[in-house]
Amino acid sequence: MSPEPLPTTLDVRKAAARGSVISGAVSLSALPRLRDALASGEGSIQAQCAFGRDEENRSIVTVTVSAELMVSCQRCLEPMPLTLASENLLAIVGDDEMAKQLPAALDPWVVEGEQGDLWGLVEDELILGIPVVAYHDTETCKELLDAYRQPPATLETDGDNPFKVLEQLKSGSKQQEN
Ligand SMILES: [Zn+2]
């Protein structure tokens, strides 16, 4: 795909009538909702929007997104790279009412007015594509966890050892009973 930036907005119905295919890069720093779901601002996003009409003469767009992002591993909480690739066919509609009339298999892209927000569309696709939980492969994750645990002796001599606190609480309550 092109290293040039994807246009941020586009006259989507004109693009559908022409069968335009638009591709380019999207800046992660411009997508705050996506950034909130990530471990860091590092990464790259490429997208392609192929416009056209279906057999019912609806304006449609096929959105293809590929991205390299950083998310938090839910086991060791360290950042990990995530590669996302998705393709989705959407029908371009003017409002929510038209969206409801679409067949169930066709997702709506609501564009009020002429200009569709292409970057917002790509952001939505990526937010939907991020897995709810992501893990390192077992070996990488284990190495990171092991690195945290060293040296193991520190925990046992810790003055705030929760087990000791528990013992003190127990003996304290016994004394009160007596
Ligand atoms: Zn991990």
Side-chain angles (χ1 to χ4, degrees):
M1 288 194 206
S2 162
E4 293 292 307
L6 187 78
T8 52
T9 61
L10 190 74
D11 184 330
V12 290
R13 288 172 190 86
K14 209 174 270 180
R18 288 178 184 160
S20 306
V21 178
I22 317 271
S23 66
V26 176
S27 307
L28 182 49
S29 56
L31 310 182
R33 287 180 297 129
L34 174 65
R35 175 66 187 84
D36 283 350
L38 302 176
S40 89
E42 290 171 64
S44 65
I45 304 165
Q46 290 285 330
Q48 184 188 72
C49 301
F51 293 88
R53 292 197 191 277
D54 68 4
E55 64 279 6
E56 304 282 332
N57 207 32
R58 283 184 286 247
S59 296
I60 53 166
V61 59
T62 302
V63 193
T64 311
V65 183
S66 68
E68 303 280 337
L69 304 170
M70 296 298 283
V71 296
S72 296
C73 167
Q74 293 305 299
R75 191 157 41 204
C76 71
L77 302 178
E78 288 292 306
M80 58 172 280
L82 179 76
T83 302
L84 282 180
S86 74
E87 187 180 297
N88 201 5
L89 174 69
L90 300 163
I92 301 163
V93 296
D95 54 39
D96 290 334
E97 209 46 52
M98 285 168 73
K100 281 180 202 155
Q101 290 163 18
L102 290 174
L106 204 49
D107 284 330
W109 179 25
V110 179
V111 179
E112 293 170 4
E114 285 179 355
Q115 297 292 313
D117 177 1
L118 294 186
W119 285 32
L121 177 65
V122 169
E123 185 172 31
D124 287 342
E125 289 296 306
L126 286 170
I127 288 170
L128 288 173
I130 292 176
V132 178
V133 286
Y135 299 114
H136 284 113
D137 63 69
T138 318
E139 272 309 303
T140 314
C141 207
K142 191 175 169 301
E143 279 166 27
L144 287 165
L145 286 172
D146 285 349
Y148 272 126
R149 283 180 184 141
Q150 282 168 356
T154 330
L155 267 181
E156 303 199 354
T157 54
D158 196 327
D160 293 328
N161 187 323
F163 294 106
K164 275 187 186 162
V165 174
L166 207 68
E167 274 170 29
Q168 281 162 8
L169 283 175
K170 273 186 192 163
S171 57
S173 60
K174 260 182 199 163
Q175 276 164 11
Q176 278 174 3
E177 280 167 26
N178 295 341

